[in-house]
């Protein structure tokens, strides 16, 4: 005869509940570990993807020593530690039609590319101020002999359109031409194409600009009334490219719009607080690196991140935008040449 032993039943229940809790904790631990592994894998993939968005060009090797010297500064022992020395970066917006998206945004399928926009960005040693100098694409210059990507060299060209340098010899010739006319060494090179610019603006949620006059440009497909507008990437690109619908139709009017876009985008980035929104930060980083070409000193996510971190203390209000002083070219009223001595004095201030 067996008597019920209720204590044993109670022990089995407790053991079962403890076992269930133990199993639940194990499952939760496994799930957490899996999430961490997946998260680490996703982060690794995201880093790899962003890193591989960037195309690098070895400009230093191509140009060798035939360029302006790097400035040498000897800091005082009592000087404060700065984020880095002064830097000069050539930033180009290329009108490349490579790829379906660039063809759509560029309005054609012609081969080759030219530098649609050229800016020399000077960052001071403390990274608390910057000067952005626009070089009109219609400037007539003496283009130096440049190494060709396929071998050999181009001939020296006199009274050549500035933006032809890129078309003839790519980024290397663009850098060499800028260094030739400015006497300033370009520490870095950054190029973004049509598609990359439009994607960046969209990732930032658009950009707000104010126009002082109506714009009607069928070539860039842009029609805006005077006033303040919030533009998506496609319309912002059209604004950066428009020239026939404003002022006298020259490149100088377009440069003013491009400089306004730069300031507005900097303010947009500063207001976003991207570090608190990882998903949006990734979208912006993906857009910023898409269609991006740099020199080999900036062609990795780590190097771009270091540069970006050094600019944390740079407010948009301390970014000065100017245009290289120019006058109408005596040989062609549709072209300009550097105005001296004003242009030389401007470049000397950036060395």
């Amino acid at each position: 005869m067996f008597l019920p032993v209720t204590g044993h039943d109670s022990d089995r229940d407790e053991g079962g509940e403890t076992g269930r809790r133990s199993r639940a904790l194990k499952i939760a631990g496994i799930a957490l570990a899996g999430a961490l592994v997946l998260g680490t894998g996703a982060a690794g993939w995201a880093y790899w993807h962003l890193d591989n968005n960037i195309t690098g060009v070895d400009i230093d090797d191509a140009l060798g020593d035939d360029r302006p010297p790097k400035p040498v500064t000897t800091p005082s022992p009592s000087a404060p530690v700065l984020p880095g020395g002064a830097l000069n970066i050539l930033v180009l917006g290329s009108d490349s039609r490579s790829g379906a998206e660039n063809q759509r945004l560029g309005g054609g399928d012609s081969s080759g590319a030219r530098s649609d926009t050229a800016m020399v960005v000077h960052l001071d040693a403390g990274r608390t101020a910057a000067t952005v100098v626009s070089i009109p694409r219609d400037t007539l210059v003496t283009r130096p002999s440049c190494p060709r990507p396929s071998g050999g060299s181009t001939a020296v060209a006199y009274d050549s359109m500035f933006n032809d340098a890129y078309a003839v010899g790519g980024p290397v010739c663009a850098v060499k031409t800028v260094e030739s006319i400015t006497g300033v060494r370009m520490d870095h090179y950054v190029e973004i194409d049509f598609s990359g610019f439009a994607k960046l603006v969209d990732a930032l949620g658009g950009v707000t600009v104010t126009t002082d006059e109506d714009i009607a440009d069928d070539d860039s497909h842009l029609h805006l009334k005077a006033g303040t507008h919030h533009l998506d990437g496609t319309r912002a690109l059209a604004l950066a490219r428009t020239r026939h619908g404003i002022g006298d139709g020259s490149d100088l009017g377009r440069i003013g719009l491009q400089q306004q876009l730069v300031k507005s985008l900097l303010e947009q980035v500063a207001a976003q607080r991207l570090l608190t929104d990882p998903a949006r930060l990734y979208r912006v980083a993906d857009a910023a690196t898409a269609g991006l070409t740099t020199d080999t000193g900036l062609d990795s996510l780590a190097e771009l991140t270091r540069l970006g971190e050094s600019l944390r203390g740079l407010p948009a209000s301390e970014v000065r935008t100017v245009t290289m002083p120019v006058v109408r070219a005596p040989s062609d009223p549709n072209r300009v040449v550097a105005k001296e001595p004003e242009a030389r004095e401007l470049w000397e201030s950036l060395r």
Side-chain angles (χ1 to χ4, degrees):
M1 179 176 176
F2 296 95
L3 297 174
V5 186
T6 56
H8 287 184
D9 287 339
S10 177
D11 288 344
R12 283 196 298 271
D13 289 344
E14 284 185 16
E17 185 174 344
T18 300
R20 285 193 294 273
R21 283 201 301 268
S22 177
R23 286 194 297 274
L25 288 172
K26 287 180 181 178
I27 292 171
I30 293 170
L32 178 59
L36 289 173
V37 169
L38 289 174
T40 303
W45 178 89
Y47 187 95
W48 176 87
H49 174 73
L50 295 175
D51 206 50
N52 278 270
N53 273 349
I54 308 165
T55 300
V57 177
D58 194 345
I59 290 172
D60 287 342
D61 183 65
L63 294 183
D65 297 326
D66 185 19
R67 54 195 312 199
K70 292 183 178 180
V72 178
T73 57
T74 305
S76 166
S78 60
V81 177
L82 299 175
L87 286 179
N88 290 299
I89 305 172
L90 176 60
V91 178
L92 294 187
S94 75
D95 64 357
S96 170
R97 266 67 167 179
S98 63
E101 187 65 11
N102 276 327
Q103 288 180 18
R104 181 184 70 81
L105 293 169
D109 57 1
S110 57
S111 60
R114 292 180 297 183
S115 53
D116 208 48
T117 302
M119 297 178 175
V120 174
V121 178
H122 174 80
L123 303 174
D124 74 354
R127 301 293 196 273
T128 57
T131 301
V132 179
V133 184
S134 296
I135 302 176
R137 57 177 283 178
D138 294 339
T139 305
L140 296 181
V141 301
T142 296
R143 190 181 71 232
S145 173
C146 298
R148 292 183 181 275
S150 57
S153 300
T154 66
V156 175
Y158 301 94
D159 288 332
S160 174
M161 282 266 288
F162 167 74
N163 68 334
D164 283 345
Y166 183 95
V168 168
V172 171
C173 196
V175 169
K176 187 168 185 179
T177 300
V178 169
E179 291 184 341
S180 175
I181 65 177
T182 66
V184 178
R185 184 174 182 122
M186 297 296 109
D187 299 290
H188 292 297
Y189 169 84
V190 175
E191 174 193 332
I192 189 167
D193 62 17
F194 288 161
S195 176
F197 178 81
K199 288 177 180 177
L200 175 59
V201 173
D202 284 336
L204 288 170
V207 61
T208 300
V209 296
T210 300
T211 60
D212 297 328
E213 58 182 298
D214 294 347
I215 298 176
D217 189 348
D218 291 334
D219 288 343
S220 65
H221 310 292
L222 183 68
H223 294 80
L224 287 178
K225 292 292 185 181
T228 300
H229 305 273
H230 191 74
L231 307 178
D232 64 7
T234 299
R235 298 181 84 201
L237 176 64
L239 183 69
R241 300 188 62 229
T242 193
R243 62 184 293 179
H244 301 298
I246 56 171
D248 60 1
S250 73
D251 196 40
L252 299 179
R254 172 167 60 179
I255 283 175
L257 294 174
Q258 292 173 346
Q259 291 174 344
Q260 186 183 160
L261 271 172
V262 168
K263 295 293 288 285
S264 297
L265 283 171
L266 289 174
E267 291 167 357
Q268 186 87 343
V269 170
Q272 297 264 330
R273 296 184 178 179
L274 294 173
L275 294 179
T276 63
D277 188 345
R280 190 165 198 177
L281 175 61
Y282 174 78
R283 289 196 299 272
V284 171
D286 190 27
T289 54
L292 190 69
T293 300
T294 73
D295 66 284
T296 48
L298 282 181
D299 65 347
S300 75
L301 193 58
E303 289 156 345
L304 285 174
T305 299
R306 278 194 291 272
L307 176 62
E309 288 176 345
S310 78
L311 301 177
R312 283 187 178 183
L314 175 61
S317 59
E318 293 302 318
V319 177
R320 180 173 67 113
T321 56
V322 297
T323 301
M324 183 182 79
V326 294
V327 294
R328 295 293 176 188
S331 60
D332 187 343
N334 295 317
R335 302 288 180 260
V336 296
V337 293
K339 181 181 180 181
E340 301 297 357
E342 289 85 349
R344 183 176 66 255
E345 291 169 353
L346 171 62
W347 297 123
E348 286 177 350
S349 71
L350 305 185
R351 291 176 188 162

